[in-house]
Amino acid sequence: MSKTNKELAVDVALKVIEAHQVVPCGPSNLSTTKCINLEQINNIIESVYTTLEKLDKDHK
């Protein structure tokens, strides 16, 4: 059973969140977090979902 566009959009958002994890930086390799907020996450989900729906509609 294939995933729905909503499920795929959430999967993409989860990968973006994972990509924004703690990264080493600075002279002593102190860790810092690249923050991603809820609004950005919502925008990612909405944008990916909208794109997938458009692609599905265009290819039918």
Side-chain angles (χ1 to χ4, degrees):
M1 181 179 207
S2 61
K3 290 187 175 187
T4 66
N5 289 341
K6 289 179 185 179
E7 291 170 320
L8 291 170
V10 170
D11 286 348
V12 170
L14 289 172
K15 291 299 179 184
V16 171
I17 293 167
E18 288 174 12
H20 284 82
Q21 296 298 315
V22 176
V23 293
C25 73
S28 62
N29 286 331
L30 297 175
S31 294
T32 184
T33 303
K34 294 180 179 180
C35 295
I36 182 166
N37 64 37
L38 184 57
E39 182 179 0
Q40 292 169 314
I41 295 168
N42 287 337
N43 288 339
I44 292 165
I45 293 170
E46 183 177 351
S47 176
V48 172
Y49 176 76
T50 301
T51 300
L52 291 171
E53 286 292 302
K54 183 180 181 316
L55 289 171
D56 281 348
K57 188 176 181 180
D58 291 347
H59 291 289
K60 287 185 179 182

Short mmCIF file of all heavy atoms in Angstrom, two decimals:
data_model
loop_
_atom_site.label_atom_id
_atom_site.label_comp_id
_atom_site.label_asym_id
_atom_site.label_seq_id
_atom_site.Cartn_x
_atom_site.Cartn_y
_atom_site.Cartn_z
N MET A 1 0.85 -1.18 0.00
CA MET A 1 0.00 0.00 0.00
C MET A 1 0.89 1.24 0.00
O MET A 1 1.77 1.39 0.84
CB MET A 1 -0.89 -0.04 1.24
CG MET A 1 -1.84 1.10 1.35
SD MET A 1 -2.85 0.88 2.84
CE MET A 1 -4.26 1.77 2.36
N SER A 2 0.66 2.12 -0.95
CA SER A 2 1.50 3.31 -1.04
C SER A 2 1.03 4.39 -0.05
O SER A 2 -0.11 4.38 0.41
CB SER A 2 1.47 3.86 -2.47
OG SER A 2 0.16 4.22 -2.81
N LYS A 3 1.95 5.28 0.26
CA LYS A 3 1.64 6.35 1.22
C LYS A 3 0.82 7.43 0.54
O LYS A 3 0.94 7.68 -0.67
CB LYS A 3 2.93 6.96 1.75
CG LYS A 3 3.69 6.03 2.66
CD LYS A 3 4.86 6.75 3.30
CE LYS A 3 5.53 5.85 4.31
NZ LYS A 3 6.56 6.56 5.07
N THR A 4 0.01 8.11 1.35
CA THR A 4 -0.76 9.23 0.84
C THR A 4 0.15 10.45 0.74
O THR A 4 1.25 10.48 1.31
CB THR A 4 -1.94 9.58 1.77
OG1 THR A 4 -1.40 10.05 3.02
CG2 THR A 4 -2.84 8.37 2.00
N ASN A 5 -0.31 11.46 0.03
CA ASN A 5 0.45 12.69 -0.08
C ASN A 5 0.66 13.35 1.28
O ASN A 5 1.70 13.95 1.54
CB ASN A 5 -0.21 13.65 -1.07
CG ASN A 5 -0.08 13.18 -2.49
OD1 ASN A 5 0.78 12.35 -2.81
ND2 ASN A 5 -0.92 13.68 -3.38
N LYS A 6 -0.33 13.23 2.15
CA LYS A 6 -0.18 13.79 3.50
C LYS A 6 0.93 13.08 4.25
O LYS A 6 1.75 13.72 4.92
CB LYS A 6 -1.50 13.68 4.28
CG LYS A 6 -2.58 14.61 3.80
CD LYS A 6 -3.85 14.43 4.60
CE LYS A 6 -4.96 15.30 4.03
NZ LYS A 6 -6.22 15.13 4.76
N GLU A 7 0.96 11.76 4.15
CA GLU A 7 2.02 11.00 4.83
C GLU A 7 3.39 11.33 4.26
O GLU A 7 4.37 11.47 5.01
CB GLU A 7 1.74 9.50 4.70
CG GLU A 7 0.53 9.04 5.49
CD GLU A 7 0.11 7.62 5.16
OE1 GLU A 7 0.15 7.21 3.98
OE2 GLU A 7 -0.24 6.90 6.12
N LEU A 8 3.48 11.45 2.96
CA LEU A 8 4.74 11.81 2.33
C LEU A 8 5.21 13.20 2.75
O LEU A 8 6.40 13.41 3.00
CB LEU A 8 4.63 11.73 0.81
CG LEU A 8 4.46 10.33 0.23
CD1 LEU A 8 4.10 10.40 -1.25
CD2 LEU A 8 5.72 9.51 0.44
N ALA A 9 4.28 14.15 2.85
CA ALA A 9 4.63 15.50 3.27
C ALA A 9 5.17 15.51 4.69
O ALA A 9 6.16 16.20 4.99
CB ALA A 9 3.42 16.42 3.14
N VAL A 10 4.57 14.73 5.56
CA VAL A 10 5.06 14.64 6.95
C VAL A 10 6.43 13.96 6.97
O VAL A 10 7.32 14.40 7.72
CB VAL A 10 4.04 13.88 7.83
CG1 VAL A 10 4.63 13.57 9.19
CG2 VAL A 10 2.77 14.71 7.97
N ASP A 11 6.64 12.95 6.15
CA ASP A 11 7.95 12.29 6.07
C ASP A 11 9.04 13.29 5.67
O ASP A 11 10.13 13.28 6.23
CB ASP A 11 7.92 11.13 5.07
CG ASP A 11 7.18 9.91 5.58
OD1 ASP A 11 6.86 9.86 6.79
OD2 ASP A 11 6.92 9.02 4.75
N VAL A 12 8.74 14.13 4.70
CA VAL A 12 9.71 15.15 4.26
C VAL A 12 10.00 16.11 5.41
O VAL A 12 11.16 16.45 5.68
CB VAL A 12 9.21 15.91 3.02
CG1 VAL A 12 10.08 17.12 2.72
CG2 VAL A 12 9.15 14.98 1.81
N ALA A 13 8.96 16.56 6.11
CA ALA A 13 9.15 17.48 7.23
C ALA A 13 10.02 16.83 8.32
O ALA A 13 10.89 17.49 8.89
CB ALA A 13 7.80 17.90 7.81
N LEU A 14 9.80 15.56 8.59
CA LEU A 14 10.63 14.86 9.58
C LEU A 14 12.09 14.81 9.17
O LEU A 14 12.99 14.99 10.00
CB LEU A 14 10.09 13.45 9.81
CG LEU A 14 8.76 13.36 10.55
CD1 LEU A 14 8.23 11.92 10.55
CD2 LEU A 14 8.91 13.86 11.97
N LYS A 15 12.35 14.61 7.90
CA LYS A 15 13.73 14.58 7.41
C LYS A 15 14.37 15.96 7.53
O LYS A 15 15.56 16.07 7.84
CB LYS A 15 13.79 14.08 5.96
CG LYS A 15 13.45 12.62 5.82
CD LYS A 15 14.41 11.75 6.59
CE LYS A 15 14.07 10.29 6.47
NZ LYS A 15 14.93 9.43 7.28
N VAL A 16 13.61 17.01 7.28
CA VAL A 16 14.13 18.36 7.43
C VAL A 16 14.48 18.62 8.90
O VAL A 16 15.53 19.18 9.21
CB VAL A 16 13.14 19.42 6.91
CG1 VAL A 16 13.58 20.83 7.27
CG2 VAL A 16 12.97 19.29 5.40
N ILE A 17 13.62 18.19 9.80
CA ILE A 17 13.88 18.34 11.24
C ILE A 17 15.14 17.58 11.62
O ILE A 17 16.01 18.11 12.33
CB ILE A 17 12.68 17.87 12.07
CG1 ILE A 17 11.48 18.79 11.84
CG2 ILE A 17 13.04 17.79 13.55
CD1 ILE A 17 10.17 18.24 12.36
N GLU A 18 15.28 16.36 11.13
CA GLU A 18 16.48 15.57 11.42
C GLU A 18 17.74 16.26 10.90
O GLU A 18 18.79 16.19 11.53
CB GLU A 18 16.37 14.19 10.78
CG GLU A 18 15.38 13.28 11.45
CD GLU A 18 15.19 11.96 10.71
OE1 GLU A 18 15.99 11.64 9.80
OE2 GLU A 18 14.22 11.25 11.04
N ALA A 19 17.63 16.92 9.75
CA ALA A 19 18.78 17.61 9.16
C ALA A 19 19.18 18.84 9.97
O ALA A 19 20.28 19.34 9.81
CB ALA A 19 18.46 18.02 7.72
N HIS A 20 18.32 19.31 10.85
CA HIS A 20 18.60 20.49 11.67
C HIS A 20 18.99 20.11 13.10
O HIS A 20 18.70 20.82 14.04
CB HIS A 20 17.39 21.43 11.68
CG HIS A 20 17.25 22.20 10.43
ND1 HIS A 20 16.66 21.69 9.31
CD2 HIS A 20 17.65 23.45 10.11
CE1 HIS A 20 16.69 22.59 8.35
NE2 HIS A 20 17.28 23.66 8.80
N GLN A 21 19.64 18.99 13.25
CA GLN A 21 20.06 18.53 14.57
C GLN A 21 21.33 19.26 15.00
O GLN A 21 21.86 20.09 14.29
CB GLN A 21 20.29 17.02 14.56
CG GLN A 21 19.03 16.23 14.29
CD GLN A 21 17.96 16.42 15.35
OE1 GLN A 21 18.25 16.39 16.54
NE2 GLN A 21 16.74 16.63 14.93
N VAL A 22 21.85 18.90 16.15
CA VAL A 22 23.04 19.53 16.71
C VAL A 22 24.24 19.30 15.78
O VAL A 22 24.48 18.19 15.33
CB VAL A 22 23.34 18.95 18.11
CG1 VAL A 22 24.62 19.51 18.67
CG2 VAL A 22 22.16 19.22 19.04
N VAL A 23 24.97 20.38 15.50
CA VAL A 23 26.15 20.30 14.65
C VAL A 23 27.32 20.94 15.38
O VAL A 23 27.16 21.92 16.10
CB VAL A 23 25.92 21.01 13.29
CG1 VAL A 23 24.90 20.28 12.47
CG2 VAL A 23 25.52 22.45 13.48
N PRO A 24 28.53 20.37 15.24
CA PRO A 24 29.70 20.97 15.89
C PRO A 24 30.12 22.25 15.18
O PRO A 24 30.07 22.34 13.96
CB PRO A 24 30.77 19.89 15.76
CG PRO A 24 30.34 19.06 14.61
CD PRO A 24 28.84 19.15 14.54
N CYS A 25 30.52 23.24 15.95
CA CYS A 25 31.02 24.48 15.36
C CYS A 25 31.87 25.22 16.38
O CYS A 25 31.85 24.92 17.57
CB CYS A 25 29.89 25.35 14.86
SG CYS A 25 28.95 26.15 16.15
N GLY A 26 32.61 26.18 15.91
CA GLY A 26 33.43 26.99 16.81
C GLY A 26 34.80 26.38 17.05
O GLY A 26 35.06 25.24 16.66
N PRO A 27 35.68 27.15 17.68
CA PRO A 27 37.06 26.70 17.86
C PRO A 27 37.19 25.46 18.75
O PRO A 27 38.09 24.66 18.58
CB PRO A 27 37.73 27.90 18.52
CG PRO A 27 36.63 28.73 19.08
CD PRO A 27 35.42 28.45 18.23
N SER A 28 36.30 25.28 19.68
CA SER A 28 36.38 24.10 20.55
C SER A 28 35.30 23.08 20.23
O SER A 28 34.96 22.25 21.05
CB SER A 28 36.28 24.54 22.01
OG SER A 28 35.03 25.16 22.23
N ASN A 29 34.76 23.16 19.02
CA ASN A 29 33.70 22.25 18.58
C ASN A 29 32.50 22.22 19.52
O ASN A 29 31.94 21.17 19.80
CB ASN A 29 34.23 20.83 18.36
CG ASN A 29 35.06 20.73 17.10
OD1 ASN A 29 34.84 21.46 16.15
ND2 ASN A 29 36.01 19.84 17.11
N LEU A 30 32.15 23.38 20.03
CA LEU A 30 30.94 23.49 20.85
C LEU A 30 29.75 23.15 19.97
O LEU A 30 29.74 23.45 18.79
CB LEU A 30 30.80 24.90 21.41
CG LEU A 30 31.89 25.36 22.37
CD1 LEU A 30 31.67 26.82 22.73
CD2 LEU A 30 31.89 24.50 23.62
N SER A 31 28.77 22.54 20.54
CA SER A 31 27.59 22.16 19.76
C SER A 31 26.59 23.30 19.75
O SER A 31 26.39 23.99 20.73
CB SER A 31 26.93 20.92 20.36
OG SER A 31 27.78 19.82 20.21
N THR A 32 25.96 23.46 18.63
CA THR A 32 24.90 24.45 18.49
C THR A 32 23.76 23.81 17.71
O THR A 32 23.97 22.87 16.96
CB THR A 32 25.41 25.72 17.78
OG1 THR A 32 24.36 26.68 17.77
CG2 THR A 32 25.85 25.46 16.36
N THR A 33 22.57 24.29 17.92
CA THR A 33 21.40 23.74 17.24
C THR A 33 20.88 24.75 16.24
O THR A 33 20.68 25.91 16.56
CB THR A 33 20.29 23.42 18.25
OG1 THR A 33 20.81 22.52 19.21
CG2 THR A 33 19.10 22.79 17.57
N LYS A 34 20.70 24.29 15.01
CA LYS A 34 20.03 25.11 14.02
C LYS A 34 18.54 24.95 14.28
O LYS A 34 18.00 23.87 14.13
CB LYS A 34 20.36 24.64 12.61
CG LYS A 34 21.80 24.81 12.21
CD LYS A 34 21.98 24.30 10.79
CE LYS A 34 23.39 24.46 10.33
NZ LYS A 34 23.58 23.97 8.96
N CYS A 35 17.90 26.01 14.71
CA CYS A 35 16.49 25.91 15.11
C CYS A 35 15.57 25.96 13.91
O CYS A 35 15.79 26.69 12.96
CB CYS A 35 16.14 27.04 16.07
SG CYS A 35 17.02 26.92 17.62
N ILE A 36 14.54 25.17 13.98
CA ILE A 36 13.46 25.22 13.00
C ILE A 36 12.17 25.31 13.83
O ILE A 36 11.97 24.54 14.77
CB ILE A 36 13.47 24.00 12.06
CG1 ILE A 36 12.38 24.10 11.02
CG2 ILE A 36 13.40 22.70 12.81
CD1 ILE A 36 12.53 23.13 9.88
N ASN A 37 11.34 26.27 13.49
CA ASN A 37 10.15 26.50 14.32
C ASN A 37 8.91 25.84 13.71
O ASN A 37 8.93 25.35 12.58
CB ASN A 37 9.94 27.98 14.59
CG ASN A 37 9.67 28.77 13.34
OD1 ASN A 37 8.99 28.31 12.43
ND2 ASN A 37 10.18 30.00 13.27
N LEU A 38 7.84 25.86 14.48
CA LEU A 38 6.60 25.20 14.07
C LEU A 38 6.04 25.79 12.78
O LEU A 38 5.55 25.05 11.92
CB LEU A 38 5.57 25.28 15.19
CG LEU A 38 4.25 24.56 14.98
CD1 LEU A 38 4.48 23.07 14.71
CD2 LEU A 38 3.35 24.74 16.18
N GLU A 39 6.14 27.08 12.62
CA GLU A 39 5.63 27.72 11.40
C GLU A 39 6.39 27.20 10.17
O GLU A 39 5.78 26.91 9.13
CB GLU A 39 5.76 29.24 11.49
CG GLU A 39 5.20 29.95 10.27
CD GLU A 39 5.31 31.47 10.37
OE1 GLU A 39 5.81 31.98 11.40
OE2 GLU A 39 4.89 32.14 9.43
N GLN A 40 7.70 27.06 10.29
CA GLN A 40 8.49 26.53 9.18
C GLN A 40 8.10 25.08 8.87
O GLN A 40 8.00 24.70 7.70
CB GLN A 40 9.98 26.62 9.50
CG GLN A 40 10.50 28.04 9.55
CD GLN A 40 11.90 28.11 10.14
OE1 GLN A 40 12.18 27.49 11.15
NE2 GLN A 40 12.77 28.86 9.48
N ILE A 41 7.88 24.31 9.91
CA ILE A 41 7.48 22.91 9.72
C ILE A 41 6.12 22.85 9.01
O ILE A 41 5.93 22.08 8.07
CB ILE A 41 7.43 22.16 11.06
CG1 ILE A 41 8.84 22.06 11.65
CG2 ILE A 41 6.81 20.78 10.91
CD1 ILE A 41 8.89 21.61 13.08
N ASN A 42 5.19 23.66 9.47
CA ASN A 42 3.87 23.72 8.82
C ASN A 42 3.99 24.12 7.36
O ASN A 42 3.31 23.56 6.50
CB ASN A 42 2.95 24.68 9.56
CG ASN A 42 2.48 24.15 10.89
OD1 ASN A 42 2.47 22.95 11.13
ND2 ASN A 42 2.09 25.05 11.78
N ASN A 43 4.84 25.09 7.08
CA ASN A 43 5.04 25.55 5.70
C ASN A 43 5.62 24.44 4.82
O ASN A 43 5.23 24.29 3.66
CB ASN A 43 5.94 26.78 5.66
CG ASN A 43 5.26 28.02 6.18
OD1 ASN A 43 4.04 28.11 6.24
ND2 ASN A 43 6.06 28.99 6.61
N ILE A 44 6.55 23.67 5.38
CA ILE A 44 7.13 22.56 4.63
C ILE A 44 6.06 21.52 4.30
O ILE A 44 5.94 21.09 3.15
CB ILE A 44 8.29 21.91 5.43
CG1 ILE A 44 9.46 22.88 5.54
CG2 ILE A 44 8.72 20.58 4.80
CD1 ILE A 44 10.48 22.49 6.60
N ILE A 45 5.29 21.14 5.31
CA ILE A 45 4.24 20.13 5.09
C ILE A 45 3.25 20.63 4.05
O ILE A 45 2.90 19.91 3.11
CB ILE A 45 3.54 19.78 6.41
CG1 ILE A 45 4.52 19.06 7.35
CG2 ILE A 45 2.29 18.92 6.16
CD1 ILE A 45 4.00 18.87 8.77
N GLU A 46 2.79 21.85 4.20
CA GLU A 46 1.80 22.41 3.26
C GLU A 46 2.37 22.51 1.85
O GLU A 46 1.71 22.14 0.88
CB GLU A 46 1.34 23.78 3.74
CG GLU A 46 0.26 24.38 2.87
CD GLU A 46 -0.25 25.72 3.38
OE1 GLU A 46 0.11 26.11 4.50
OE2 GLU A 46 -1.01 26.36 2.65
N SER A 47 3.59 22.98 1.73
CA SER A 47 4.21 23.14 0.42
C SER A 47 4.41 21.80 -0.28
O SER A 47 4.09 21.65 -1.47
CB SER A 47 5.54 23.86 0.58
OG SER A 47 6.20 23.96 -0.66
N VAL A 48 4.94 20.82 0.45
CA VAL A 48 5.16 19.49 -0.15
C VAL A 48 3.83 18.86 -0.53
O VAL A 48 3.68 18.31 -1.63
CB VAL A 48 5.97 18.59 0.80
CG1 VAL A 48 6.04 17.16 0.28
CG2 VAL A 48 7.38 19.14 1.02
N TYR A 49 2.85 18.94 0.37
CA TYR A 49 1.54 18.36 0.08
C TYR A 49 0.92 19.01 -1.17
O TYR A 49 0.43 18.31 -2.06
CB TYR A 49 0.61 18.53 1.28
CG TYR A 49 -0.79 18.04 1.01
CD1 TYR A 49 -1.07 16.68 0.99
CD2 TYR A 49 -1.82 18.93 0.76
CE1 TYR A 49 -2.35 16.23 0.72
CE2 TYR A 49 -3.10 18.48 0.50
CZ TYR A 49 -3.36 17.13 0.47
OH TYR A 49 -4.63 16.69 0.20
N THR A 50 0.96 20.32 -1.23
CA THR A 50 0.39 21.04 -2.38
C THR A 50 1.09 20.64 -3.67
O THR A 50 0.44 20.41 -4.70
CB THR A 50 0.50 22.56 -2.16
OG1 THR A 50 -0.20 22.90 -0.96
CG2 THR A 50 -0.08 23.35 -3.33
N THR A 51 2.40 20.53 -3.62
CA THR A 51 3.16 20.13 -4.81
C THR A 51 2.80 18.72 -5.24
O THR A 51 2.58 18.46 -6.44
CB THR A 51 4.67 20.23 -4.53
OG1 THR A 51 5.00 21.58 -4.19
CG2 THR A 51 5.49 19.79 -5.74
N LEU A 52 2.72 17.80 -4.29
CA LEU A 52 2.36 16.41 -4.63
C LEU A 52 0.95 16.32 -5.20
O LEU A 52 0.71 15.58 -6.17
CB LEU A 52 2.49 15.52 -3.40
CG LEU A 52 3.91 15.28 -2.89
CD1 LEU A 52 3.88 14.56 -1.55
CD2 LEU A 52 4.73 14.50 -3.91
N GLU A 53 0.02 17.07 -4.63
CA GLU A 53 -1.35 17.07 -5.15
C GLU A 53 -1.39 17.62 -6.58
O GLU A 53 -2.08 17.07 -7.44
CB GLU A 53 -2.26 17.92 -4.24
CG GLU A 53 -2.60 17.25 -2.93
CD GLU A 53 -3.49 16.03 -3.10
OE1 GLU A 53 -4.60 16.17 -3.65
OE2 GLU A 53 -3.07 14.93 -2.67
N LYS A 54 -0.62 18.68 -6.83
CA LYS A 54 -0.56 19.26 -8.18
C LYS A 54 0.04 18.26 -9.16
O LYS A 54 -0.47 18.10 -10.28
CB LYS A 54 0.25 20.55 -8.17
CG LYS A 54 0.30 21.25 -9.51
CD LYS A 54 1.12 22.52 -9.44
CE LYS A 54 1.18 23.26 -10.74
NZ LYS A 54 1.40 22.49 -11.93
N LEU A 55 1.11 17.59 -8.75
CA LEU A 55 1.73 16.60 -9.63
C LEU A 55 0.76 15.46 -9.94
O LEU A 55 0.69 15.00 -11.09
CB LEU A 55 3.00 16.05 -8.99
CG LEU A 55 4.20 17.01 -8.93
CD1 LEU A 55 5.30 16.41 -8.08
CD2 LEU A 55 4.69 17.33 -10.33
N ASP A 56 0.04 14.99 -8.93
CA ASP A 56 -0.94 13.94 -9.15
C ASP A 56 -2.03 14.39 -10.14
O ASP A 56 -2.41 13.65 -11.04
CB ASP A 56 -1.62 13.52 -7.84
CG ASP A 56 -0.76 12.59 -7.02
OD1 ASP A 56 0.25 12.08 -7.53
OD2 ASP A 56 -1.12 12.37 -5.83
N LYS A 57 -2.49 15.61 -9.95
CA LYS A 57 -3.55 16.15 -10.81
C LYS A 57 -3.06 16.32 -12.25
O LYS A 57 -3.78 16.02 -13.20
CB LYS A 57 -4.03 17.49 -10.25
CG LYS A 57 -5.23 18.06 -10.93
CD LYS A 57 -5.67 19.34 -10.24
CE LYS A 57 -6.90 19.92 -10.89
NZ LYS A 57 -7.34 21.15 -10.24
N ASP A 58 -1.82 16.78 -12.40
CA ASP A 58 -1.25 17.01 -13.74
C ASP A 58 -0.97 15.73 -14.49
O ASP A 58 -0.93 15.72 -15.71
CB ASP A 58 0.05 17.82 -13.63
CG ASP A 58 -0.18 19.26 -13.20
OD1 ASP A 58 -1.34 19.73 -13.22
OD2 ASP A 58 0.81 19.93 -12.84
N HIS A 59 -0.78 14.63 -13.77
CA HIS A 59 -0.43 13.37 -14.41
C HIS A 59 -1.59 12.40 -14.54
O HIS A 59 -1.40 11.23 -14.80
CB HIS A 59 0.72 12.70 -13.66
CG HIS A 59 1.99 13.44 -13.80
ND1 HIS A 59 2.71 13.49 -14.97
CD2 HIS A 59 2.70 14.21 -12.92
CE1 HIS A 59 3.77 14.23 -14.82
NE2 HIS A 59 3.80 14.69 -13.57
N LYS A 60 -2.81 12.87 -14.34
CA LYS A 60 -3.99 12.00 -14.49
C LYS A 60 -4.67 12.27 -15.81
O LYS A 60 -4.55 13.20 -16.45
CB LYS A 60 -4.96 12.21 -13.33
CG LYS A 60 -4.44 11.58 -12.07
CD LYS A 60 -5.45 11.67 -10.96
CE LYS A 60 -4.88 11.00 -9.73
NZ LYS A 60 -5.78 10.99 -8.63
#
